Amino acid sequence: AQKITQTQPGMFVQEKEAVTLDCTYDTSDQSYGLFWYKQPSSGEMIFLIYQGSYDEQNATEGRYSLNFQKARKSANLVISASQLGDSAMYFCAMRENSGYSTLTFGKGTMLLVSP
Amino acid sequence: EPEVTQTPSHQVTQMGQEVILRCVPISNHLYFYWYRQILGQKVEFLVSFYNNEISEKSEIFDDQFSVERPDGSNFTLKIRSTKLEDSAMYFCASSEMGQVNTEAFFGQGTRLTVV
């Protein structure tokens, strides 16, 4: 079974609008962390936001927020006021408490922001 | 701001040749990782390294792969006899600790092309 599922291969949004990128996860650990990374066309992986399994509040970092629904095992990324520079691939990833906490990535969602 | 640096940014090699990919993790970090991303696919875990030894490795990390921390700063990935299917972007990452809430910082990646 997939540990991280991103069901949207591609998303389109107009500049200045908000967009939600979906992520569901599967783990039996009680303690885990969820991460979102952005990968622009240049290829680097840029950390965006983190949500811990025990965090009661949804994480926010500037225009990024995480809609964390633990019972549904979902951790959707919300980007508010989209900018052209937000066009990139977005990966959801998880670190579990077991092992040495390696990151498991989803397949990613390509976001295109249009003027 | 401290960052993970990888060299070279691009490497083209002939099938059967050995390649060494180099990484300089962030200086106070203790956990080091290699990931790879085949073009258009998700990021896959290869190996984690802690306390001068491999702590975890994936099925991809077979006998053709090895990692080393030859001095206090470098962390290398060696592929002994490259195959066409080794063509991918290789990312080095490091984190301060191994807990689930610890962010992993990624380098810019090395794009390896095997011809």
Side-chain angles (χ1 to χ4, degrees), chain B residues 24-42:
Chain B
V24 179
I26 295 173
S27 60
N28 64 332
H29 285 188
L30 301 177
Y31 293 80
F32 314 119
Y33 309 87
W34 283 101
Y35 291 83
R36 82 169 184 193
Q37 184 183 30
I38 294 171
L39 187 63
Q41 298 188 22
K42 68 177 180 180

Side-chain angles (χ1 to χ4, degrees), chain A residues 27-33 53-54 95-98, chain B residues 100-101:
Chain A
T27 181
S28 55
D29 284 2
Q30 295 300 307
S31 177
Y32 52 88
S53 58
Y54 291 119
R95 272 183 125 159
E96 297 172 278
N97 201 36
S98 50
Chain B
V100 296
N101 62 344

Side-chain angles (χ1 to χ4, degrees), chain A residues 31-88:
Chain A
S31 177
Y32 52 88
L34 298 156
F35 300 78
W36 278 91
Y37 285 85
K38 172 183 177 182
Q39 187 179 41
S41 57
S42 50
E44 70 267 33
M45 296 288 285
I46 303 167
F47 166 74
L48 294 178
I49 195 167
Y50 160 80
Q51 179 82 45
S53 58
Y54 291 119
D55 294 342
E56 295 189 353
Q57 302 237 349
N58 286 339
T60 60
E61 285 286 346
R63 294 187 299 110
Y64 304 108
S65 61
L66 211 150
N67 183 1
F68 181 48
Q69 298 187 44
K70 193 170 181 177
R72 298 178 64 181
K73 293 190 173 177
S74 74
N76 299 337
L77 176 70
V78 181
I79 305 174
S80 62
S82 298
Q83 300 172 357
L84 296 178
D86 294 334
S87 293

